[in-house]
Amino acid sequence: MAQHIEKCDVVVIGAGPVGLLTSVCLSRWGYKVKHVDNRPVPTATGRADGIQPRTLEILHNLKLKRPVMAYNPARVFEVAFWDPAPGGKIVRTGTYPSCPSFLDARYPYTALLHQGLIERVMIADLAKTGTPLERPATITRFETNHADPAYPVEVDLKNLDSNVTTTYRTKYLFSGEGGKSFVREQLKVQVRHKDPISYVWGVMDGVVRTNFPDIKMKCTIHSDHGSIMVIPRENNMVRLYIQIASSTDPDFDPRQTATVQEVQHAAQKIFQPYTCDWDRVEWYSVYPIGQGLADKYTLDNRVFMGGDVCHTHSPKAGQGMNTAFHDAINFAWKVHHVESGFAQRSILETYETERRAVADTLLEFDNKYAALFSKTQSAAGDEKAAAQANKDFVELFKANCEFTSGFGVAYAGNIFNYTESSLSSLPQNLRSLILSHDKHEHKLRPGRVMPNSNVTRVVDANKVHLENEIPFNGSFRLFVYGGSTSSPQPGQHKLLSALSDNLLKTGSFYRRFMHKNHEQLDTHHDSDNPHSPFFSVAVTICATRPEIEIEDLPELFQAYRDRVYADDALNTPVPNARFGSHAKVGLTRNDAGDQAEGAVVVVRPDGHLGIAVKLTEGPDTVEVLEAYFSQFLQQGEWGGESGSSRFSQPQQGDMELGAHAASLKNTYIIA
Amino acid sequence: MAQHIEKCDVVVIGAGPVGLLTSVCLSRWGYKVKHVDNRPVPTATGRADGIQPRTLEILHNLKLKRPVMAYNPARVFEVAFWDPAPGGKIVRTGTYPSCPSFLDARYPYTALLHQGLIERVMIADLAKTGTPLERPATITRFETNHADPAYPVEVDLKNLDSNVTTTYRTKYLFSGEGGKSFVREQLKVQVRHKDPISYVWGVMDGVVRTNFPDIKMKCTIHSDHGSIMVIPRENNMVRLYIQIASSTDPDFDPRQTATVQEVQHAAQKIFQPYTCDWDRVEWYSVYPIGQGLADKYTLDNRVFMGGDVCHTHSPKAGQGMNTAFHDAINFAWKVHHVESGFAQRSILETYETERRAVADTLLEFDNKYAALFSKTQSAAGDEKAAAQANKDFVELFKANCEFTSGFGVAYAGNIFNYTESSLSSLPQNLRSLILSHDKHEHKLRPGRVMPNSNVTRVVDANKVHLENEIPFNGSFRLFVYGGSTSSPQPGQHKLLSALSDNLLKTGSFYRRFMHKNHEQLDTHHDSDNPHSPFFSVAVTICATRPEIEIEDLPELFQAYRDRVYADDALNTPVPNARFGSHAKVGLTRNDAGDQAEGAVVVVRPDGHLGIAVKLTEGPDTVEVLEAYFSQFLQQGEWGGESGSSRFSQPQQGDMELGAHAASLKNTYIIA
């Protein structure tokens, strides 16, 4: 029985990637997080290891990339394909970039290091914000729709050292427990298998002595003796994945296993004519993998799940941890917007719709990938079929580079992501200002990340990455492009003046969420939120840095003096464009790139594009933005004041609780 | 009196930049270092703060850049010049890059953070190698030419907490004590002042609230009320330098001082019409600066001095710490080469000749710079003269960018740095193979750093910075360029085969210093020294990465499998050259950059170029290298074996000690 009741904003179960990143985000934004994990210490070694190019950008935006890279992960730029050769040998049939240049990634490689090191980086971050991580401790009971409307979830957490159970009342419960989830089981949420086929995989990390030439590259090796995937690791280690059994095998047993020696022997046979000896094995595991997807990520928008709780799949495409990170940031900013009185509670529903659709796509890819990987293996007897299967496998790999690099995460149209059917009540003249379209060729695609670009920061002349200048601070980002008709001379910023005037007008969506006493805000150490915790503005001007005087800019932009940029830097994919940053987002109108539209690009806190609207001299641009934001913002004036606590709004949102939570009243107690 | 005698390789006095980096290098290479500092803790704040572009490259090569950058230093890309305007105000008259693009620096900015943080990075590195730093402790006596020929220097070190004095016998004593040096005084080494004029400077670090638009840039401000230099700092701080007095003033007093309030008031007047208020002052100091240069850096090649012990100057060009780092690495590798039986003891003489010449150039520049900075100030009454002085100042600044960025450190011709008069006994046909010349236009200038370039590492397809691939490991670096006539097909590497064969030939300078049992060396975790601790080889081949098979390369290069590169990466200053890395070092013979010479570029352990020699199909290339290395290498076979200690050569070098040290026999005891 519970012995003591404490209150908090969010209870997080599990200190793997998804739980830790959820905690990191919410703790930074001032929420009281109770975080437990049933393991006494972080992951010592092994497990997830691949950080994809887009995830590196996310970590950079969170200011976590530098400490991760300090562990010197291996970096994979290319994948080598090896296939059977006569005499039971193998031969390299080709190589391909793991993140080809057409994806234009800032970091066109996968970084590889073991999950425990990444956990440690996030645990260190939690320590900075004062959120303790209790371990070993586990969840033993939870109950939603409790009498206290402000804290409708009650959770019992049992410390596994002391055996003491403490009861928490919380606004949210987030489960990042991994594949075996108490919360998911209690909620009776089903995990569906996209494909009835499941596999048993062996995975081994260690130091290998070999004359195999591609041991420092990612390799898929198909041989007459079986298949292996090679992944280079930190500290001159390597990881080998070997498929041990498939449910298509006649004698399949999901509990089938193999010893270290058996796996090493199998690897030696596959590697012929190359040698493969092990100095030491750092980690070894054999585990069955089924491709599963949870039916629901939440039942009541109070108890949420993410990461492996919701989706499991083969490890071969290196997507698990990356998907978990996306789950975490998607959940975190939406809860933040609801709890701080900015957005309507209903936005929480988009966590499931957005993230479940991505997991569904991932499983579909993984399904095909795993099947082809196995097929090439079993086709060893039939040379022609094997060659075709190998070709199919390589083609599938190439076709899915965008997805596996993380740039294929595309959220479908909804309240956040503009689509042709959105904002249908807007008159046509306003709709025609919308620049963002879902077309593949278009550069401003809602639901996807915006193209990166280099610019010069005016205030200190630093060359910077524009897309990364506003950190993951929970704010919507308004990237303003001045266009080439605005001159940097005083009074000549007609488009920027119109935007400034209309955003600062009484009653505008921007003005309503400004701190009431924002003039007293101290922005010396925080240049991203001079007006409001919910908006950050960056403006890029078609001029060279010395031509721009911040004092001459319209009022709004003077408040963001550290976020004023000159579009005068070199952008390698468009080296000849005079205004390269405008060109990269598709705003230039001629080949020389010296005539460019003005625009405001609305980017969600997680970096995905919401809508892009052309700048006009009148109020039209802001009217379109008004319609966009009215889809999900709270009505009326926000009551926040700078000072005491960062988001000191009396919680209107909580008033809605009854209606939302009344639909569900359950208590879940451990058997 | 000494109570106990211990032995070590080097005693280092002072844990500022020069002492710490000396210790870091020698400790990493396995030397026993006794290091003391008379301060109880590292620098808490203030003091030196500027890390120049070339120094960032050095720190990167030492693997110390990442922990330094983790402190988020301010980064200065541009300098703004402000001059007097009517009404006692100031106006910006121009800006200029602090490291212009023609210098082609990897990191074209100055990083600014206080000296204590840099000290901490190096102290943490010392901890890793197990070298303790004893503090507070000071040197009280030293004596050279002691009876023990292997440890000819005796040093008394007194712990200032316990008052216990311990006597050390050491091979070398290195003083990095700073401007006030016990060692220098005891040696009676004179400090000469290049210019009789000296100055009193005020310097103040802190958080400033101002509407001055360039507060995040480096600025030189001349006004009718005096002059200031503005330097942005980490954590949104700023540093102001104000000249308080000059020995040209009629009432000059070198002990003149000023209060915090006086300096702040002076700054407020200079900043008009802008405001300048201080949130807090982090550090404040007023100190007289004379431009001084020590006559000698050593008397006997056993007791050495570096850093501020040897050279002092104004802080305005931000050169102090950078010069200290150069002193440290120059000293460290030369001592290493002597003590490990690689080079003749006489190379130690080049420490003083090389480093003192650079300090001399620095003082000359600083002298002109400081004089012009003062002149513009005092010329306030005469508008025309002031304008000319300001113009001269800006011109001087621009002309000296290469020097202040650190790329102007050019060592004159000597045994290490080829010059027209070197190797005069070589026949003309061999001399004609030498590609490196001292001409300004030439890209391979002896005594300077080699041009940087991007290449693709074959073994893992990583895009890397070639010039930084071999770390600061104490080895001479042989950068081999294959040239365009070598094909990557087996047996077609005629130039590379000739080089490989001749380097590995019995009796060659390379072979003589190979580990006798190098076949047993474990190179899995150290790919830079498969043969010898004194040589590291990197080879760049005119082909794309997939065309190159390491197994097909000549024997020498197979041992360096992690150091084989494809010249197929984009190099922005020569985007159209097919072989960009060859083009950047001047080896291409046509505009398309697809015809290139082969060459071997010899780079000293500190990154400065020694000699570059054209590759030939016969033994000629190695013959030229033989002549180069015979200028300073020990004769005969090196006796080192891999295994026990890293450099387990019985010290031939020590035999020469008598002759060198007999010239000096002194005992220095603290008064």
Side-chain angles (χ1 to χ4, degrees), chain A residues 70-89:
Chain A
Y71 285 112
N72 288 312
R75 302 195 299 173
V76 165
F77 282 72
E78 281 191 21
V79 180
F81 304 102
W82 288 74
D83 286 314
K89 298 181 176 177

Side-chain angles (χ1 to χ4, degrees), chain A residues 176-221:
Chain A
E177 297 164 279
K180 288 179 193 162
S181 165
F182 171 75
V183 171
R184 190 190 64 219
E185 282 171 22
Q186 296 299 309
L187 291 175
K188 299 193 171 44
V189 169
Q190 291 298 308
V191 175
R192 311 264 167 194
H193 294 262
K194 274 203 94 67
D195 184 346
I197 300 171
S198 61
Y199 302 93
V200 176
W201 281 87
V203 54
M204 197 178 287
D205 286 357
V207 175
V208 166
R209 304 298 175 122
T210 177
N211 55 355
F212 179 66
D214 290 354
I215 197 70
K216 295 211 167 182
M217 302 234 254
K218 180 171 173 177
C219 303
T220 64
I221 306 178

Side-chain angles (χ1 to χ4, degrees), chain A residues 30-108:
Chain A
Y31 292 95
K32 190 176 172 193
V33 178
K34 176 63 196 176
H35 197 162
V36 297
D37 189 273
N38 59 13
R39 301 170 298 165
V41 291
T43 302
T45 187
R47 301 181 66 165
D49 64 355
I51 307 176
Q52 302 298 349
R54 170 60 193 151
T55 308
L56 288 169
E57 295 183 1
I58 291 173
L59 290 176
H60 195 156
N61 200 239
L62 284 156
K63 299 193 192 302
L64 294 175
K65 177 168 173 277
R66 192 178 268 158
V68 166
M69 297 307 281
Y71 285 112
N72 288 312
R75 302 195 299 173
V76 165
F77 282 72
E78 281 191 21
V79 180
F81 304 102
W82 288 74
D83 286 314
K89 298 181 176 177
I90 52 172
V91 63
R92 191 199 297 119
T93 53
T95 60
Y96 196 71
S98 63
C99 182
S101 58
F102 67 80
L103 295 176
D104 190 29
R106 282 285 179 198
Y107 315 108

Side-chain angles (χ1 to χ4, degrees), chain B residues 211-255:
Chain B
N211 56 355
F212 178 67
D214 289 353
I215 197 70
K216 295 210 167 183
M217 300 234 257
K218 179 171 174 178
C219 303
T220 63
I221 306 179
H222 295 117
S223 82
D224 292 345
H225 312 288
S227 298
I228 270 186
M229 186 166 282
V230 177
I231 314 268
R233 296 288 304 272
E234 73 277 15
N235 295 327
N236 298 306
M237 291 195 297
V238 69
R239 164 171 289 189
L240 299 186
Y241 283 112
I242 300 187
Q243 189 177 306
I244 289 175
S246 158
S247 59
T248 56
D249 298 343
D251 57 348
F252 178 66
D253 172 5
R255 283 171 307 276

Side-chain angles (χ1 to χ4, degrees), chain B residues 24 85 168 180 257 303 336 467 472 507 523 565:
Chain B
V24 161
Y168 284 80
K180 287 178 192 164
T257 187
V303 179
H336 169 45
E467 77 283 1
F472 188 68
T523 60
Y565 305 92

